[in-house]
Amino acid sequence: MTRLNSIAFILICSTGILTTLAYGTVHQPVIAIFYLLICLQFLIFAADSLFGGILEFSRSRLQIPLILLGLYGVFQSIPFGTISSSGDIPAIPRTISIEPFATRVVALHIFALSSFFLLCLSTISSAKRLRRIVGLITIFGAVYAFFAILQSVLSPEKIYGIYKPSAGVPFGSFVNRHNFAAIMEMTIAVPMGLLFVGALRSDKKLLYVVAISTMGAALLLSGSRGGLVAFLVEIVVLIVLTRKGATAKGRSALSLKIALSFLLIFAAVGGAIFVGGDTSLTRISETVSSDDITSSRAQIWNTTTKVIEHGLPFGVGLGAFPQAYTMFDPAGGYERVEQAHNDYLQIVADAGIIGTLLGAVFMFWFFREGIKNASVVDSFRRGSAIGAFAGCTAILVHSLFDFVLHITAVSIVFLTLLSILVASGRNYDDDVDEYDEPKRRSRRANVTPIRE
């Protein structure tokens, strides 16, 4: 591997960390820097391919729905004729999107995420790199969780002790505690996958248990109900995918994993109570009785269904949901609603039938990839695949209650886990596994080299 390729890999690995620490990368100046970082990564990768005379790219079909969604956004913003002018009002372009500028912005953002996904898939080209990115996620998750716990004690209302959001309940580096919980759901899943599979040496198991407990405590301390539900689903997925059959040995192993799950949950709950007192867990139920309109998801979802009916079959336009919502808002615009608090409803509202089909295709390919790679021979790659699959599944569950995938940092970490899932299904020349039988090196799936 060349030096340029290594630099591109380092930048790709650091993207999830940087976007998370930069308040989740939701402010426009930071998003602009994120775009520049993606361009830099792409240029370095292209230069390496040019000078090395070989281009490696992933053939994973999971890229296709994301790219097509961006292209559909461009299509929604194309004018098809104009609305007749009246008096001094000039003719207005007739587009599918009711807010074409916002749709073009979202399409650009999707293309940036697609580029990152392509680069991430292409640069994880060895078992050594797979181990490094898995280790980085584990270390970052534990350190970031520890920082968030300290901040919740020392400066609960300010991020980094300097920035006090005007709205929302901050946690970690996020203005919205639910987005922090989403990051924890993904970072905690990877080491749990390795632990459940048994891909860790004895001298590392205690360190991983401490890291998992720290991340679990931070997740519970955030007070996110959606995060808690997603975390529990994540544990169920891990147990199901690592069971070993109906034999006595398999039942014994399953019992041990269930006991381990309860132990990890107990450690996380104990840590949250120790740090946050009684309020650390009761905060989860506070929003049930809240009068804040942003907490009234049932009302928002009901209004979103009206937006869907209005926009069918093509949708109101990617990024145009806030404008469409105002037409049916029962509160008369008293509070501006930017998101549907359900990523599934919002994709249907924004992209109509096309968005629904693309989402369904992605889900089908995702679950097929996860089930296939959960049975690879190499224990480390199997644990990485199961952990990444469980983390992504947790986000898909959390998306039923919040808009986590609309946050740049969450999307980046989600795509990183998807890349780990795909990369774990490949065979590498440098596979080293002291637990499993010798590897079969009959294929190197999903990566296609093009030489001069």
Side-chain angles (χ1 to χ4, degrees):
M1 297 179 186
T2 66
R3 181 171 299 179
L4 283 176
N5 192 273
S6 297
I7 292 173
F9 178 70
I10 292 171
L11 288 175
I12 288 166
C13 289
S14 63
T15 302
I17 297 174
L18 296 176
T19 53
T20 298
L21 297 179
Y23 304 111
T25 310
V26 294
H27 303 94
Q28 290 302 324
V30 184
I31 292 176
I33 296 174
F34 164 67
Y35 292 159
L36 292 175
L37 179 61
I38 295 297
C39 290
L40 176 62
Q41 294 171 5
F42 203 87
L43 289 174
I44 293 175
F45 182 79
D48 174 65
S49 301
L50 180 63
F51 296 143
I54 180 172
L55 171 64
E56 286 192 349
F57 67 94
S58 173
R59 292 184 285 114
S60 173
R61 287 177 291 187
L62 289 173
Q63 302 170 91
I64 298 175
L66 190 61
I67 296 172
L68 291 180
L69 183 62
L71 292 174
Y72 184 59
V74 173
F75 177 76
Q76 286 181 315
S77 64
I78 296 176
F80 294 95
T82 59
I83 300 175
S84 301
S85 60
S86 176
D88 296 330
I89 301 177
I92 301 174
R94 188 188 300 274
T95 59
I96 293 175
S97 172
I98 64 173
E99 184 56 58
F101 176 77
T103 300
R104 286 191 289 268
V105 169
V106 172
L108 172 64
H109 195 73
I110 292 174
F111 288 138
L113 293 174
S114 302
S115 299
F116 171 82
F117 192 26
L118 182 150
L119 293 172
C120 196
L121 285 168
S122 301
T123 54
I124 304 179
S125 53
S126 67
K128 182 179 180 180
R129 285 191 172 180
L130 179 61
R131 288 177 177 271
R132 284 183 174 177
I133 196 168
V134 166
L136 179 64
I137 289 175
T138 302
I139 294 171
F140 170 69
V143 173
Y144 182 57
F146 184 70
F147 155 75
I149 292 172
L150 285 180
Q151 181 176 267
S152 69
V153 175
L154 302 176
S155 181
E157 296 182 353
K158 292 184 178 180
I159 302 175
Y160 302 131
I162 56 176
Y163 174 50
K164 183 177 181 179
S166 58
V169 180
F171 206 89
S173 57
F174 289 90
V175 173
N176 188 320
R177 65 182 186 270
H178 304 295
N179 299 328
F180 170 84
I183 295 292
M184 287 296 100
E185 293 158 20
M186 292 184 285
T187 56
I188 197 175
V190 175
M192 286 184 70
L194 296 175
L195 186 63
F196 276 51
V197 165
L200 300 172
R201 296 200 309 265
S202 299
D203 58 334
K204 290 185 176 181
K205 287 182 180 179
L206 181 58
L207 291 175
Y208 273 72
V209 169
V210 172
I212 292 168
S213 299
T214 303
M215 287 185 271
L219 193 158
L220 295 177
L221 198 60
S222 69
S224 171
R225 289 179 296 159
L228 176 60
V229 172
F231 179 51
L232 295 177
V233 171
E234 182 174 85
I235 292 176
V236 173
V237 171
L238 287 168
I239 292 175
V240 170
L241 290 181
T242 56
R243 74 188 192 280
K244 294 189 176 181
T247 63
K249 185 177 179 180
R251 289 193 295 269
S252 176
L254 179 61
S255 299
L256 287 174
K257 288 168 185 173
I258 294 175
L260 177 60
S261 300
F262 277 108
L263 179 62
L264 293 173
I265 293 174
F266 178 78
V269 171
I273 293 176
F274 176 77
V275 174
D278 295 337
T279 60
S280 61
L281 297 180
T282 56
R283 186 183 300 146
I284 292 177
S285 61
E286 285 180 359
T287 52
V288 175
S289 59
S290 175
D291 293 329
D292 184 3
I293 189 173
T294 59
S295 298
S296 181
R297 286 175 173 78
Q299 176 179 303
I300 295 175
W301 295 343
N302 182 59
T303 306
T304 301
T305 59
K306 298 177 182 177
V307 175
I308 292 174
E309 293 175 3
H310 173 76
L312 285 177
F314 301 111
V316 297
L318 297 177
F321 178 81
Q323 290 74 26
Y325 188 91
T326 58
M327 295 188 291
F328 306 96
D329 187 2
Y334 176 72
E335 293 280 353
R336 180 175 173 83
V337 177
E338 298 281 350
Q339 310 289 348
H341 290 265
N342 183 309
D343 285 331
Y344 301 95
L345 286 178
Q346 187 154 347
I347 192 63
V348 179
D350 285 357
I353 295 176
I354 299 297
T356 304
L357 292 175
L358 291 176
V361 169
F362 170 81
M363 297 287 278
F364 173 76
W365 284 341
F366 165 71
F367 281 105
R368 191 170 71 169
E369 186 82 16
I371 294 172
K372 180 187 71 173
N373 293 350
S375 60
V376 297
V377 175
D378 184 285
S379 65
F380 181 84
R381 289 193 284 112
R382 183 169 67 252
S384 299
I386 291 174
F389 179 75
C392 291
T393 301
I395 290 298
L396 295 176
V397 171
H398 198 163
S399 294
L400 289 167
F401 314 104
D402 290 302
F403 51 92
V404 289
L405 284 175
H406 282 75
I407 306 302
T408 304
V410 177
S411 298
I412 287 295
V413 179
F414 179 81
L415 293 175
T416 302
L417 260 63
L418 278 182
S419 300
I420 292 174
L421 173 62
V422 174
S424 297
R426 305 169 185 161
N427 291 317
Y428 301 101
D429 293 332
D430 59 340
D431 272 334
V432 177
D433 193 330
E434 57 191 275
Y435 299 95
D436 289 326
E437 61 188 59
K439 308 300 170 298
R440 293 168 294 178
R441 309 187 192 281
S442 59
R443 66 185 182 92
R444 291 176 62 88
N446 294 314
V447 176
T448 299
I450 298 179
R451 299 178 184 273
E452 290 183 342

